[in-house]
Amino acid sequence: MRGVVSAGMTAAIEQLGLTDTFDEVHGASAGAFNAAFLLAGQAAYLATLYQYGFGDPRFVSIVRALRGGPAFDMDHVINHVWTRQRPLRFDAILSRGIDLHCTATDADRATIVDLAELTSEEEIRCALRASGRLPWLAGGPVSFRGMRLLDATLAEAIPVQLPRSSATDMLVLQTRPHGVAHTPLSPLVARLTDRYLRAINPALVQLRLTRSPRYDALTAELAAQAADPGHAPATCVIRPPSGCVVISQLEHRAAVLQTAGAEGLRSAWMALEGEDPELIGTLRAYPRSGAGATADDANGTGRARPAPRTPNAVRPEIRSEP
């Protein structure tokens, strides 16, 4: 659930009215979820849903895992919760005019792949499922476009390989605070994961073994590029400051996730706006129907236009946002 940090960061981008300054948005694993909700105009909404299992506490179940099912059921979240209970505005993503790129690991080639040119709700849902398909914990590989796909972070945790080859400016959102290195899996989880990966493709085990040093090397490289005013593409890296809460993959405590999301929002706001904001809890209604979905005003304040009232209006969900 570490993605709650970058979800808070995308909420800041949304509230500052900066979403439409991007030509492309790239996301890996939970970062792909955050990217999709940002383009839908629902970044702040997703930042609050992290505290509730992406909108359904049944998302995580150890009992289900012991019975042979996935511990993390993202299929249920993406195909049911985000389409019926708490709808992601797929139509807004498709009409936004900003390209959504979801990265994933090709299980057969043991390499990163870019899932782009997503032209329908079904393709977006498949790309999101593939990008976040954690090995062993979330079920078998996702089949999409003739490939078997697993979680993007197995091959590349920070999806910069493609954009830095063509972009003029690049904003990178990282979830670990300054000074915090990538933490390898515990010995038990590593053994179980490697057994799972070996049965699919032995080359995936090597990706898993080298993931932490590759992540730390890329983090150092991005930091150096951000410090170089002459580097192309111009690079800005946003990370929470040292001392912020460190979120584990299995974190589920609502208060901790709320704190992490708020720290992500504050970090991005300070980096982009140059001031330390005051964070307060405000109530905001989110219509559950696509027809009644709200859009941010042109001035970027984050205030929503009221949906038209109809005799059969769907009751909105009320959330308190930081």
Side-chain angles (χ1 to χ4, degrees), residues 5-22 24-25 34-35 38-39 41 43-44 96 98 171-173 236 238 264-273 296 299-302:
V5 178
S6 53
M9 294 175 179
T10 59
I13 292 171
E14 179 177 86
Q15 189 174 350
L16 289 168
L18 298 175
T19 305
D20 288 328
T21 63
F22 297 94
E24 301 174 350
V25 179
N34 299 341
L38 173 65
L39 294 185
R96 188 93 196 205
I98 302 173
L171 175 64
V172 182
L173 308 181
C236 173
I238 299 178
L265 188 153
R266 180 169 174 260
S267 299
W269 193 285
M270 292 176 68
L272 298 171
E273 191 71 0
D296 291 340
N299 65 13
T301 61

Side-chain angles (χ1 to χ4, degrees), residues 152-216:
T153 62
L154 189 61
E156 184 185 51
I158 309 172
V160 296
Q161 180 178 351
L162 178 64
R164 66 179 175 181
S165 66
S166 58
T168 58
D169 302 90
M170 188 168 66
L171 175 64
V172 182
L173 308 181
Q174 290 192 248
T175 57
R176 290 176 173 82
H178 281 282
V180 176
H182 191 281
T183 305
L185 298 176
S186 68
L188 174 60
V189 174
R191 286 196 300 271
L192 293 171
T193 301
D194 288 350
R195 183 173 65 179
Y196 170 89
L197 293 175
R198 193 173 291 111
I200 298 173
N201 180 1
L204 295 172
V205 177
Q206 185 62 25
L207 281 184
R208 203 282 303 166
L209 290 171
T210 61
R211 183 166 59 174
S212 290
R214 284 188 290 111
Y215 178 93
D216 292 338

Side-chain angles (χ1 to χ4, degrees), residues 10-319:
T10 59
I13 292 171
E14 179 177 86
Q15 189 174 350
L16 289 168
L18 298 175
T19 305
D20 288 328
T21 63
F22 297 94
D23 297 310
E24 301 174 350
V25 179
H26 297 248
S29 193
F33 311 155
N34 299 341
F37 275 80
L38 173 65
L39 294 185
Q42 297 173 290
Y45 185 36
L46 181 60
T48 64
L49 290 185
Y50 270 90
Q51 304 163 39
Y52 308 97
F54 290 118
D56 191 333
R58 292 171 296 180
F59 158 64
V60 180
S61 174
I62 301 302
V63 173
R64 185 174 58 232
L66 294 175
R67 292 174 176 172
F72 298 152
D73 192 356
M74 282 309 303
D75 285 357
H76 172 70
V77 170
I78 294 170
N79 291 333
H80 182 76
V81 178
W82 290 352
T83 59
R84 300 179 186 178
Q85 294 177 318
R86 295 171 172 84
L88 169 60
R89 294 170 56 203
F90 293 98
D91 59 330
I93 299 172
L94 293 168
S95 63
R96 188 93 196 205
I98 302 173
D99 295 333
L100 172 63
H101 294 252
C102 302
T103 55
T105 300
D106 186 326
D108 295 307
R109 294 186 296 158
T111 188
I112 196 72
V113 292
D114 176 51
L115 306 177
E117 298 181 357
L118 305 170
T119 59
S120 67
E121 175 183 330
E122 182 179 0
E123 286 198 332
I124 294 173
R125 286 193 283 109
C126 284
L128 294 176
R129 289 173 54 232
S131 189
R133 185 57 64 121
L134 292 171
W136 173 60
L137 291 171
V142 174
S143 296
F144 185 48
R145 294 178 175 174
M147 298 176 287
R148 295 191 303 161
L149 302 170
L150 290 170
D151 189 87
T153 62
L154 189 61
E156 184 185 51
I158 309 172
V160 296
Q161 180 178 351
L162 178 64
R164 66 179 175 181
S165 66
S166 58
T168 58
D169 302 90
M170 188 168 66
L171 175 64
V172 182
L173 308 181
Q174 290 192 248
T175 57
R176 290 176 173 82
H178 281 282
V180 176
H182 191 281
T183 305
L185 298 176
S186 68
L188 174 60
V189 174
R191 286 196 300 271
L192 293 171
T193 301
D194 288 350
R195 183 173 65 179
Y196 170 89
L197 293 175
R198 193 173 291 111
I200 298 173
N201 180 1
L204 295 172
V205 177
Q206 185 62 25
L207 281 184
R208 203 282 303 166
L209 290 171
T210 61
R211 183 166 59 174
S212 290
R214 284 188 290 111
Y215 178 93
D216 292 338
L218 180 56
T219 292
E221 180 183 347
L222 289 170
Q225 293 171 358
D228 179 3
H231 185 269
T235 301
C236 173
V237 178
I238 299 178
R239 300 178 67 181
S242 58
C244 285
V245 62
V246 179
I247 299 296
S248 73
Q249 195 175 60
L250 300 177
E251 182 60 68
H252 64 279
R253 292 170 293 175
V256 176
L257 293 171
Q258 183 180 42
T259 297
E263 290 177 343
L265 188 153
R266 180 169 174 260
S267 299
W269 193 285
M270 292 176 68
L272 298 171
E273 191 71 0
E275 68 171 3
D276 189 355
E278 178 184 12
L279 302 184
I280 58 175
T282 59
L283 292 179
R284 180 171 175 177
Y286 290 92
R288 298 178 188 271
S289 64
T294 59
D296 291 340
D297 329 356
N299 65 13
T301 61
R303 289 189 292 271
R305 300 190 186 104
R309 298 180 64 87
T310 63
N312 298 316
V314 178
R315 183 179 181 183
E317 178 179 16
I318 308 297
R319 289 287 184 191

